[in-house]
Amino acid sequence: MRFETFAFLPPLAPDQLEAQALHILKSGLIPHIEHAENPSSAEMFWKLFPIPSSRIRADGTPEPHNATHIANVIESCARRHPYSFVRLTGYNPKTGQTEAAFIAKSPQEGM
Amino acid sequence: MSENTAFPHLAPTLKKLLEAHNLTASELSRQSGISVATLSRMLSGQGNPTFENICRLAHIFSVPLSHFAPTTPDEKPTQSPSTGRDPLLAMFEVTSPDLTEKQVANLMLSAARGRSMPSWLGAYAAPDTPQIEVISSTPAGPQRFHVTMAFPSEHIEAGSLSSILSMLSAALTGTHAQVLDVTLPTSLLRTFNGPAFGVRGLRDTFNKHGRPLLMASLRPSTGLSPKMYARSAFECLLGGLDITADPAQLTHTPAMPWRERFRFLAEATLTAGQQTVEYKAHALNIMAGTVEEMQERALWAKDLDMATLLVDPSVIGWSATASMAKWARNNDMLLVATGSRPLFGLHLPEHLQAKFLRLIGADIVSTASPLRGNVSGRRLVTGTLAHLRDKEVPANPEEHHPLPQIYGGLTGSMPAPGGGHNPWHFPRLADAVGDDAILQVGASTISHPWGSAAGATAARTALEATIQARNEGHTLSVDNRTILQRAAKFSPELKESLRHFQEGSFQFGVIHGSGDKNTPTEGTVIPPKPSDNVTLFRRPEPTPENDTE
């Protein structure tokens, strides 16, 4: 199953995954973790896996995400849904475009 | 005493000034030192006043000398030229060995107004009609002038490109001028729809994010059966390309009937989509002799669930392209405007063609490659990309668009830079065009020694490795070789592609639209290494579409 960006590359190593997550955060994109069992091109909307804030500050605002945290959530999403593809996307609210989308975990890799 | 012919307006003007300043002729005589007799001759409109006396009068009343100058109904110095509220601005380049700036401006003005001879109807025209005016005329080099003119929006039809072009074409007639740039006021710009999808809409529809898309124009364009031709599209799509496109020359022949071509290509696209689980598209060439015929083919394509139509605007013309863009918008399809557009090349610079195609709503517009040609040509491509995608393009004479343009909320077109790219170019190419583009890689895909599918895989792998490295923080223009060679370690297709195609060589294609034919081309085009393998498809020969030189 070769689809989405980075489909033609070897599976991303943990540090590579973290580097991509870091790029999403540094570009000001809003990260989404999505998962689906039998994705197809017609299926645009995958189920969202929430990224909880790592910490709430004293003034009530959530602390911004960091790449390690996102990589951990992807890991837990993959553990929760072992037969699903897990996708990381980045949405740019300024342009309304999803400017990053790639498969972070595929079921063949195992847990 | 002879009638005062040189200054017919002197007497009434002088009388008005005397009244305004509450002066009598004798007081004026005392102040100015002009004799009463001379003054009375002036006031009765007789005789020829001396230059000295006119100067004295101008000094007394503190008005410019031209206040007393003879006027004709055509030029009224007291009334400032009116070009309406929001004029369209156009800059022309005029080459003339013996004219001054002023004369060049007058030449352009009379040509644009279409009134090079005085006519009795001049007096009948409404006096407050906004007029075409010359805003500036400046020398731009030996025997060259840049003339900027304002065309009143009141004379331009809403949403009609032909109306704008006819204005420009009048100014070009008989003046040997070239259009350099055109700026539409926002009020006029908003009468155009622009692309139905826009860059964002196209990406969301195709469900492809975070990387440039890959497109191949299929070759050869003659000699294959429809089924075999569709197989070549299938191979490209299966290998990893996103879009395949018909070449512009492929219309309808007994050996390749369009209905059969469409049917097999629909099958190829569908199968490739099912097998790869990705969204795949093929741009069907619908060009035909009449717009009605094109619409019939487009309708057929729609019935086959195809998403994309292809036309060459220089072949079918602006209005036919606009018609098809409107048709595509109404039928939820995409329009690809392709071709090197050599038929426009002489009179419309490439960024202007891009701007017009964006206005009339072409979703994908092919451009020159930012890697090819000389520095000037590459800057031109940068400007072209900006005109296709950006919300606002500042004036930049170095990029050959000397006037600014605000696009406001107009959706953008997806640029498709083309011209024989192979995987060696991808890092620099992705660096130059960014994510929102469709890279045309037909040449290296189809002439890959292992066939189109392997060529497509090589292209896709090289592109994704490039994007991954860029996101990780590598500088693409520096690390380009390392990135590709590292990716070639796990991709035999890419390894073979990098071996087969030489770094820095271009398969074929064009350095089109460099604008200035006299500028020598600095870039070297290294011919590709001859392959010792038998290729599945014949390497394409230069065709008029991809070789304008």
Side-chain angles (χ1 to χ4, degrees):
Chain A
M1 184 111 52
R2 286 178 143 187
F3 64 111
E4 300 278 353
T5 311
F6 307 149
F8 283 67
L9 306 180
L12 293 177
D15 58 325
Q16 287 175 323
L17 185 59
E18 210 172 304
Q20 295 297 326
L22 186 65
H23 169 254
I24 287 179
L25 294 177
K26 269 164 77 179
S27 321
L29 309 179
I30 301 172
H32 277 169
I33 294 170
E34 309 168 17
H35 60 97
E37 271 196 18
N38 286 308
S40 77
S41 61
E43 198 175 332
M44 301 245 167
F45 303 109
W46 297 14
K47 286 178 217 109
L48 269 185
F49 192 86
I51 312 176
S53 290
S54 45
R55 182 185 297 178
I56 304 289
R57 290 183 183 137
D59 59 352
T61 54
E63 200 162 81
H65 295 306
N66 64 58
T68 322
H69 178 57
I70 287 178
N72 288 340
V73 178
I74 288 172
E75 200 59 48
S76 53
C77 176
R79 233 177 282 130
R80 183 78 68 83
H81 305 280
Y83 304 111
S84 293
F85 286 86
V86 180
R87 171 166 84 172
L88 180 61
T89 64
Y91 178 79
N92 188 342
K94 285 180 197 157
T95 60
Q97 281 200 52
T98 305
E99 290 184 359
F102 61 91
I103 301 291
K105 292 270 177 193
S106 44
Q108 288 92 332
E109 290 171 56
M111 292 165 58
Chain B
M1 281 298 151
S2 61
E3 186 73 11
N4 186 348
T5 47
F7 288 90
H9 289 258
L10 179 63
T13 314
L14 203 53
K15 278 175 193 162
K16 271 185 207 158
L17 285 171
L18 283 175
E19 272 175 32
H21 287 77
N22 206 8
L23 282 173
T24 61
S26 52
E27 281 170 17
L28 178 63
S29 163
R30 222 178 16 255
Q31 287 184 19
S32 62
I34 305 172
S35 72
V36 182
T38 316
L39 266 181
S40 67
R41 272 207 303 280
M42 283 180 183
L43 283 167
S44 58
Q46 287 176 337
N48 228 343
T50 61
F51 182 67
E52 192 192 347
N53 286 348
I54 293 287
C55 287
R56 282 178 179 175
L57 287 176
H59 181 70
I60 290 289
F61 293 115
S62 45
V63 290
L65 277 178
S66 58
H67 200 72
F68 303 103
T71 54
T72 62
D74 267 352
E75 11 181 285
K76 300 183 186 73
T78 46
Q79 191 188 349
S80 62
S82 158
T83 57
R85 283 186 64 81
D86 273 337
L88 174 138
L89 300 183
M91 189 187 263
F92 300 91
E93 183 173 284
V94 190
T95 313
S96 169
D98 48 350
L99 294 181
T100 63
E101 308 154 41
K102 184 75 186 153
Q103 286 170 322
V104 163
N106 284 337
L107 176 74
M108 292 299 293
L109 197 59
S110 60
R113 285 183 176 175
R115 202 147 53 100
S116 47
M117 62 183 74
S119 115
W120 59 277
L121 280 168
Y124 287 58
D128 58 346
T129 309
Q131 290 289 335
I132 300 171
E133 295 292 345
V134 170
I135 291 179
S136 72
S137 171
T138 50
Q143 306 176 354
R144 286 190 301 137
F145 301 94
H146 284 176
V147 182
T148 310
M149 301 176 80
F151 296 84
S153 300
E154 285 85 342
H155 302 337
I156 298 171
E157 190 183 343
S160 161
L161 194 59
S162 1
S163 171
I164 296 174
L165 288 170
S166 60
M167 286 274 174
L168 300 179
S169 128
L172 299 184
T173 310
T175 55
H176 296 286
Q178 297 251 325
V179 189
L180 290 182
D181 204 355
V182 174
T183 291
L184 279 75
T186 318
S187 55
L188 187 60
L189 189 100
R190 293 306 292 160
T191 61
F192 289 90
N193 275 329
F197 288 79
V199 175
R200 181 203 53 74
L202 192 143
R203 279 193 174 284
D204 283 348
T205 309
F206 277 30
N207 204 13
K208 290 175 199 301
H209 304 284
R211 64 172 170 90
L213 273 64
L214 291 170
M215 177 163 110
S217 181
L218 298 175
R219 298 287 190 282
S221 51
T222 52
L224 295 180
S225 72
K227 194 174 180 184
M228 193 61 210
Y229 176 77
R231 167 168 280 282
S232 78
F234 172 72
E235 291 286 318
C236 289
L237 294 174
L238 192 68
L241 297 196
D242 303 300
I243 309 171
T244 48
D246 285 336
Q249 303 95 313
L250 197 63
T251 49
H252 173 74
T253 56
M256 178 79 91
W258 66 266
R259 279 173 212 272
E260 212 174 325
R261 168 163 60 95
F262 282 21
R263 212 164 50 228
F264 282 117
L265 283 168
E267 185 68 30
T269 317
L270 183 72
T271 318
Q274 283 169 349
Q275 295 197 4
T276 56
V277 210
E278 276 192 318
Y279 190 91
K280 302 289 185 187
H282 177 89
L284 286 168
N285 182 351
I286 51 157
M287 289 197 287
T290 61
V291 175
E292 289 75 20
E293 177 73 23
M294 286 195 282
Q295 285 177 349
E296 190 193 336
R297 294 185 191 182
L299 192 61
W300 187 267
K302 186 194 173 193
D303 289 346
L304 287 168
D305 274 343
M306 301 295 274
T308 324
L309 305 171
L310 177 139
V311 294
D312 184 342
S314 76
V315 173
I316 64 169
W318 290 112
S319 292
T321 311
S323 290
M324 288 322 299
K326 194 176 175 194
W327 191 96
R329 166 185 277 266
N330 291 342
N331 289 277
D332 205 22
M333 294 179 88
L334 289 154
L335 188 73
V336 184
T338 184
S340 55
R341 303 194 283 282
L343 300 182
F344 294 150
L346 282 177
H347 290 295
L348 284 182
E350 182 161 339
H351 80 271
L352 214 47
Q353 299 178 25
K355 177 188 283 191
F356 289 162
L357 285 170
R358 178 176 176 182
L359 291 183
I360 62 177
D363 292 283
I364 300 172
V365 175
S366 74
T367 71
S369 163
L371 303 187
R372 303 202 56 173
N374 53 18
V375 176
S376 151
R378 291 176 201 183
R379 287 201 187 119
L380 181 79
V381 177
T382 314
T384 307
L385 296 178
H387 275 287
L388 285 171
R389 298 186 298 205
D390 288 3
K391 285 181 178 165
E392 191 173 344
V393 185
N396 189 342
E398 285 208 331
E399 288 176 0
H400 300 258
H401 46 99
L403 298 176
Q405 176 71 62
I406 295 169
Y407 284 101
L410 202 75
T411 43
S413 302
M414 199 81 152
H421 297 128
N422 70 46
W424 281 113
H425 305 133
F426 283 5
R428 280 194 303 146
L429 194 58
D431 199 23
V433 301
D435 272 356
D436 289 334
I438 299 178
L439 310 182
Q440 293 199 51
V441 293
S444 70
T445 303
I446 295 167
S447 25
H448 192 282
W450 301 348
S452 297
T457 305
R460 179 82 179 263
T461 311
L463 181 67
E464 293 190 346
T466 302
I467 296 302
Q468 186 188 24
R470 183 199 65 189
N471 293 357
E472 284 175 4
H474 291 267
T475 312
L476 294 182
S477 50
V478 178
D479 298 341
N480 49 0
R481 280 187 199 177
T482 330
I483 293 165
L484 294 171
Q485 282 158 355
R486 213 171 46 195
K489 280 182 187 159
F490 59 79
S491 167
E493 293 93 349
L494 179 58
K495 191 177 177 189
E496 177 64 17
S497 192
L498 295 179
R499 188 196 66 77
H500 181 68
F501 302 108
Q502 213 168 331
E503 191 176 356
S505 79
F506 289 90
Q507 277 303 92
F508 65 86
V510 234
I511 314 168
H512 60 89
S514 68
D516 191 358
K517 294 271 183 222
N518 303 323
T519 313
T521 298
E522 295 155 18
T524 359
V525 175
I526 309 162
K529 272 190 295 190
S531 165
D532 41 5
N533 298 318
V534 179
T535 55
L536 185 58
F537 292 107
R538 187 163 58 85
R539 180 169 301 153
E541 286 149 16
T543 56
E545 189 221 4
N546 56 39
D547 190 10
T548 52
E549 291 304 311

